[in-house]
Coordinates of all heavy atoms in Angstrom, one line a residue:
D6 N 6.0 6.0 -1.7 CA 7.4 5.9 -1.6 C 8.1 6.3 -2.9 O 9.1 6.9 -3.0 CB 7.8 4.4 -1.3 CG 7.5 4.1 0.2 OD1 7.3 5.1 1.0 OD2 7.5 2.9 0.5
L8 N 6.8 8.4 -5.1 CA 6.6 9.8 -5.3 C 7.7 10.5 -4.4 O 8.3 11.5 -4.9 CB 5.2 10.2 -4.8 CG 4.1 9.8 -5.8 CD1 2.7 10.3 -5.2 CD2 4.3 10.4 -7.1
A9 N 7.9 10.0 -3.2 CA 8.9 10.6 -2.3 C 10.3 10.5 -2.9 O 11.0 11.5 -2.9 CB 8.8 10.0 -0.9
E10 N 10.5 9.4 -3.5 CA 11.8 9.2 -4.2 C 12.0 10.1 -5.4 O 13.1 10.7 -5.6 CB 12.0 7.7 -4.6 CG 13.4 7.5 -5.3 CD 13.5 6.0 -5.8 OE1 12.6 5.2 -5.4 OE2 14.4 5.8 -6.5
A11 N 10.9 10.2 -6.1 CA 11.0 11.1 -7.4 C 11.2 12.5 -7.0 O 11.8 13.3 -7.8 CB 9.7 10.9 -8.2
R12 N 10.8 13.0 -5.8 CA 10.8 14.4 -5.4 C 12.1 14.7 -4.8 O 12.4 15.9 -4.4 CB 9.7 14.7 -4.5 CG 8.3 14.6 -5.2 CD 7.2 14.7 -4.2 NE 7.1 16.0 -3.6 CZ 6.3 16.2 -2.5 NH1 5.6 15.2 -2.0 NH2 6.3 17.4 -2.0
Q13 N 13.0 13.7 -4.7 CA 14.3 14.1 -4.1 C 15.1 15.0 -5.1 O 14.8 15.0 -6.3 CB 15.2 12.8 -3.9 CG 14.6 11.8 -2.9 CD 15.5 10.6 -2.8 OE1 16.7 10.7 -2.6 NE2 14.9 9.4 -2.9
V14 N 16.0 15.8 -4.5 CA 16.7 16.8 -5.3 C 18.2 16.6 -5.1 O 18.6 16.0 -4.2 CB 16.3 18.2 -5.0 CG1 14.8 18.4 -5.2 CG2 16.6 18.5 -3.5
K15 N 18.9 17.1 -6.1 CA 20.4 17.0 -6.1 C 21.0 18.4 -6.1 O 20.6 19.2 -6.9 CB 20.9 16.2 -7.3 CG 22.4 16.1 -7.3 CD 22.9 15.1 -8.4 CE 22.6 15.5 -9.8 NZ 23.1 14.5 -10.8
R93 N 11.0 16.4 -15.2 CA 11.9 17.5 -14.8 C 12.4 18.3 -15.9 O 12.6 19.5 -15.8 CB 13.1 16.9 -14.0 CG 12.7 16.3 -12.7 CD 13.9 15.6 -12.0 NE 13.5 14.9 -10.8 CZ 13.5 15.4 -9.6 NH1 13.8 16.6 -9.4 NH2 13.1 14.7 -8.6
P426 N 9.9 21.6 -6.6 CA 11.1 20.7 -6.3 C 11.5 20.0 -7.6 O 12.7 19.5 -7.6 CB 10.6 19.7 -5.3 CG 9.1 19.7 -5.3 CD 8.7 21.1 -5.8
F427 N 10.7 19.9 -8.6 CA 11.1 19.2 -9.8 C 11.9 20.0 -10.7 O 12.2 19.6 -11.8 CB 9.8 18.6 -10.5 CG 9.2 17.4 -9.8 CD1 8.3 17.7 -8.8 CD2 9.6 16.2 -10.1 CE1 7.7 16.6 -8.1 CE2 9.0 15.1 -9.4 CZ 8.1 15.3 -8.4
N429 N 14.7 20.9 -9.8 CA 16.0 20.4 -9.4 C 16.3 19.0 -10.1 O 15.4 18.3 -10.4 CB 16.1 20.2 -7.9 CG 15.9 21.4 -7.1 OD1 16.8 22.2 -6.9 ND2 14.6 21.7 -6.7
E430 N 17.6 18.7 -10.2 CA 17.9 17.4 -10.8 C 17.7 16.3 -9.7 O 17.8 16.6 -8.5 CB 19.4 17.4 -11.3 CG 19.6 18.3 -12.5 CD 21.1 18.1 -13.0 OE1 21.9 17.5 -12.3 OE2 21.3 18.6 -14.1
H431 N 17.4 15.1 -10.2 CA 17.2 14.0 -9.3 C 18.6 13.4 -8.9 O 19.5 13.4 -9.7 CB 16.4 12.9 -10.0 CG 16.0 11.8 -9.1 ND1 16.8 10.7 -8.7 CD2 14.8 11.6 -8.4 CE1 16.1 9.9 -7.9 NE2 14.9 10.4 -7.7
P432 N 18.8 13.0 -7.7 CA 20.1 12.4 -7.3 C 20.6 11.3 -8.1 O 21.8 11.1 -8.3 CB 19.8 12.0 -5.8 CG 18.7 12.7 -5.4 CD 17.8 13.0 -6.6

Side-chain angles (χ1 to χ4, degrees):
D6 289 344
L8 291 177
E10 180 184 349
R12 293 168 66 192
Q13 294 181 53
V14 299
K15 178 169 68 176
R93 295 176 186 270
F427 289 87
N429 300 272
E430 292 186 352
H431 191 277

